[in-house]
Every structure is written in structure tokens, then in C-alpha cells.
Amino acid sequence: MSRRGLLKTAGGLTAALALGAGSAPTAADAAPAAFTHPGMLHNWGDINRAKVRVAAGNDPWLSGWNRLTANAHAQSTWTPRPQATVVRGGTGENYGLLYNDIAAAYQNALRWQVTGSEAHGRCAANILNSWSSTLTTVTGNADRFLAAGIYGWQLANAAELVRDHVAFDLAAFQEMMVSVFYPLNNQFLTGHNDACITNYWANWDLCTIASVMAIGILTEDAAKYDQAVTYFKSGAGNGSMAHAVPYLHTDADGYALGQYQESGRDQGHTVMGMGQLGAICEMAWNQGDDLYSYDSRRFMKAAQYVAKYNLGNDVPFTTYTWGSGQNCAQQSHTVVSASSRGQVRPVWAMLHYHYNRRLGLDDKYIAQMCFSVAPEGGGGDYGSTSGGYDQLGFGTLMYAK
């Protein structure tokens, strides 16, 4: 039974009785009968724990909180700069305006949730309202699909935190997500920009899956949520688990490792992938689906592999070959890439506190990476370029247990 099936005991009992002895529901993996809110990167338990621990002055939560309040984006005086058209890729790029405003909306929303600061709650609502009343188009070259994916799931997560704030126009925001972001998300997952199915790196699929899932949760659209979960499990592109983690290994100490699809490319994008996968799994977890454990915890094996290598250790590597372009021209990686090795991104706390603290598993390399980069910051703490904003961050504050 899925985690959600265990949680929904009343509904499960009713369904079992209706089906009769020896029968089982055929939609065991369908979207929840009732969506949980807040139910994306953070649930009420996360928020309440942060409230209590920060108020008590306990570490590591207090250190995470101080990292948040020191960020320029987390100030209630932030002024949004909404655009009718966001461009990523090609000429006229302006997408930096969007990712900076997303970071500000999310960080102000966190401050409102953790301390009840009305100024921060209204700031977050104002940022999101300004975009939902202005934005009509996300465009550019193929990178428009990255923008629709990354900023889609991040916007939805910021909105989820203030969905009940009196100043937030939830309906208008939902409409923007469905009319501006979802069509691009769906177009990419179903057509991959008319390229060979393996042409695009795993992260392109993953951020898109995350956006579809987040929009599904925000709008309580079961079909969209199911689309994301199904693609994660069995999609044709590089974002489905078997393709995102194509090879499994075991190191000399007996730890199971999973070679990530982008490991031969560079480590910046590889660590980014851990963040995108983590976002998908955490959102699903908060809706009752345990994707963290899917396919014998294939994701955990990948995170162990990526963490071990970026801590400076050797890892095994199997030659990875894929088809590129429109004609599926063959390309190969024969070694793990040392490019941007050791790059710090705020993705590890979420993974450590799930696998080690929720499940009690030995996550040696994930744990070492988690504590080597703690306390985690967020957008604005890791450089000014887009890579520093690929994750919303602040995992030490929100996930420490």
C-alpha cells in the first residue's frame, strides 16, 4: 500500500468494503481524494516545528532562521518588478526579474509563516499578485521550457504558503499558472521541443514534472498531479527515474550508489538535479505519496553517489551514451565530470532529514554533505546568476529534525 493509502484509513476501509473481499482499488496511485494544504515543500508540521524551535532559540533552526532574515530578498520592503512577457534564451532576456521576485515572495512567505509577521505576509502576497495580474507569456528559445518548469514550481510553492492570506488573490494566481505555465510544461513533456527523446538533460524533465505537480496541488487538479507522478515513474524522457539514474553501483564500503544522468556533464547541473528530484519527492510526500522510496530508493542511491563525488571521493562510472538533436546522433560520456565539483547548492538538508531522520537510514555521504554546507541559505546567497536561484533553499530551518 502507498503511504497515502496508509494515511487515508477511513477512505481505504470504505473502498475495501465496497469492492468486497479479495478485491483491491484499481486507482491506488491516483491523486488524493482531498489535497493537503499547505502540502508542497512544507506542511504544517514543518512550519510549526520551525516556529517553536526558532522562538526557543534552538540550533540548527535558529542558525537557519538567521540565514533567512539576513537575505536581502527576505525583507518586507521588497518591490516587485512584474513583466507581461518573461524571456529566457535568445534576445531580450529578462527572466532574472522573475527569479529574484520569486525568491523574495518565498522568503517573505516563510517569515510570515514562522513568526506571523503581517508585513512579510503582505509583501509576499503583493509580489505574487503583481505577477498574476501582469504576466501573460513566457518565451525565448528552448530555454523557455526551463523557465516554465523551474519558475512554475517555485511560484506555486510561494503561493501555497500564502494561499490563505487575506491579501492574496488565489484565484487569479491559479489562472496564471494554468494558462501561462502549464501549457509549456505539458508541451515539453509530450513533445520535447520536437527533439530526440533523450536530447534534453534530466533536469529539463524534472523541473517540468515539479511544475506540473505543484500546479496540480495548488489548483487541486487531480489529472495534473497524476500526470506528474506517472511521468516520474514511467515517462519516456530522461526525467523518469530509470532514465535519470541509469546505472547502479556499490562502493567498497557497501553503500548503494546511483549514477545520475548528468554526472558526465558537470557537477553544478548534477547537484541541481538532486534539488529538482527532492522537490518532486517532498511535494508528493506531503500529499501522501512516497516517491522518495520508489524503485528501491533509486533516488537515495543517486544522492549518495553525487554527494560522495562532490565531497572529493572517487565513484564508479559506466559509459553513458544517448541520442541528441532531432536525429538522435549518438554521444557518450566515458568519465564522471570534475567540472564545478564541490559546488554548493541548498539541496541536501531536505534529503538528509528525510532518509536519515524520517526513515532512520544510513545516508553517510548525504549526511556529510548536508552538514558541510549548513545552515542552508536560499536565492541570493549563492551568486547572482540563475543557478543560484534553482532551489528555494532554507532546508536547515524547515527540515531539521
Side-chain angles (χ1 to χ4, degrees), residues 40-42 47 68 71 73-75 78 98-114 120-121 123-125 127-128 153-162 346 350 376-379 391-399:
M40 291 193 206
L41 290 185
H42 311 301
I47 293 167
L68 170 63
N71 193 306
H73 295 75
Q75 310 312 310
W78 186 272
L98 177 56
Y99 66 64
N100 275 278
D101 278 0
I102 292 171
Y106 174 74
Q107 292 175 31
N108 274 277
L110 278 186
R111 293 190 69 170
W112 176 61
Q113 287 286 1
V114 173
H120 291 95
C123 178
I127 295 168
L128 298 173
W153 75 259
Q154 292 184 348
L155 277 165
N157 268 272
E160 180 77 351
L161 289 175
V162 295
M350 180 190 297
E376 287 182 353
Q391 296 80 34
L392 291 172
F394 301 103
T396 306
L397 171 64
M398 298 308 296
Y399 298 116

Side-chain angles (χ1 to χ4, degrees), residues 14-157:
T14 301
L17 290 172
L19 285 163
S23 300
T26 58
D29 293 324
F35 283 91
T36 298
H37 301 292
M40 291 193 206
L41 290 185
H42 311 301
N43 58 38
W44 279 126
D46 298 330
I47 293 167
N48 187 61
R49 183 179 57 247
K51 283 182 180 180
V52 171
R53 294 297 191 174
V54 170
N58 298 148
D59 262 336
W61 299 271
L62 183 61
S63 294
W65 173 254
N66 290 337
R67 192 83 192 268
L68 170 63
T69 58
N71 193 306
H73 295 75
Q75 310 312 310
S76 63
T77 53
W78 186 272
T79 301
R81 293 175 290 175
Q83 306 292 307
T85 300
V86 165
V87 181
R88 177 164 179 167
T91 59
E93 285 191 322
N94 64 351
Y95 66 103
L97 298 173
L98 177 56
Y99 66 64
N100 275 278
D101 278 0
I102 292 171
Y106 174 74
Q107 292 175 31
N108 274 277
L110 278 186
R111 293 190 69 170
W112 176 61
Q113 287 286 1
V114 173
T115 67
S117 169
E118 182 59 20
H120 291 95
R122 287 191 173 272
C123 178
N126 177 55
I127 295 168
L128 298 173
N129 289 342
S130 72
W131 279 94
S132 66
S133 63
T134 305
L135 182 64
T136 61
T137 308
V138 174
T139 188
N141 60 22
D143 284 3
R144 69 191 184 277
F145 295 113
L146 281 177
I150 298 169
Y151 311 133
W153 75 259
Q154 292 184 348
L155 277 165
N157 268 272

Side-chain angles (χ1 to χ4, degrees), residues 114-244:
V114 173
T115 67
S117 169
E118 182 59 20
H120 291 95
R122 287 191 173 272
C123 178
N126 177 55
I127 295 168
L128 298 173
N129 289 342
S130 72
W131 279 94
S132 66
S133 63
T134 305
L135 182 64
T136 61
T137 308
V138 174
T139 188
N141 60 22
D143 284 3
R144 69 191 184 277
F145 295 113
L146 281 177
I150 298 169
Y151 311 133
W153 75 259
Q154 292 184 348
L155 277 165
N157 268 272
E160 180 77 351
L161 289 175
V162 295
R163 67 181 296 132
D164 295 325
H165 193 286
V166 66
F168 180 53
D169 189 342
L170 176 60
F173 197 86
Q174 290 171 324
E175 170 60 25
M176 177 189 70
M177 298 308 298
V178 170
S179 64
V180 177
F181 288 87
Y182 177 73
L184 284 168
N185 298 154
N186 186 57
Q187 183 183 345
F188 187 76
L189 287 186
T190 57
H192 285 87
N193 203 27
D194 297 323
C196 180
I197 191 64
T198 56
N199 178 70
Y200 288 98
W201 302 105
N203 280 329
W204 289 67
D205 270 358
L206 292 173
C207 69
T208 305
I209 295 167
S211 183
V212 172
M213 178 177 286
I215 293 170
I217 296 169
L218 186 73
T219 63
E220 299 193 326
D221 187 326
K224 290 181 175 60
Y225 180 87
D226 283 346
Q227 179 184 10
V229 172
T230 298
Y231 199 98
F232 175 90
K233 292 180 176 180
S234 58
N238 284 324
S240 62
M241 279 307 299
H243 298 144

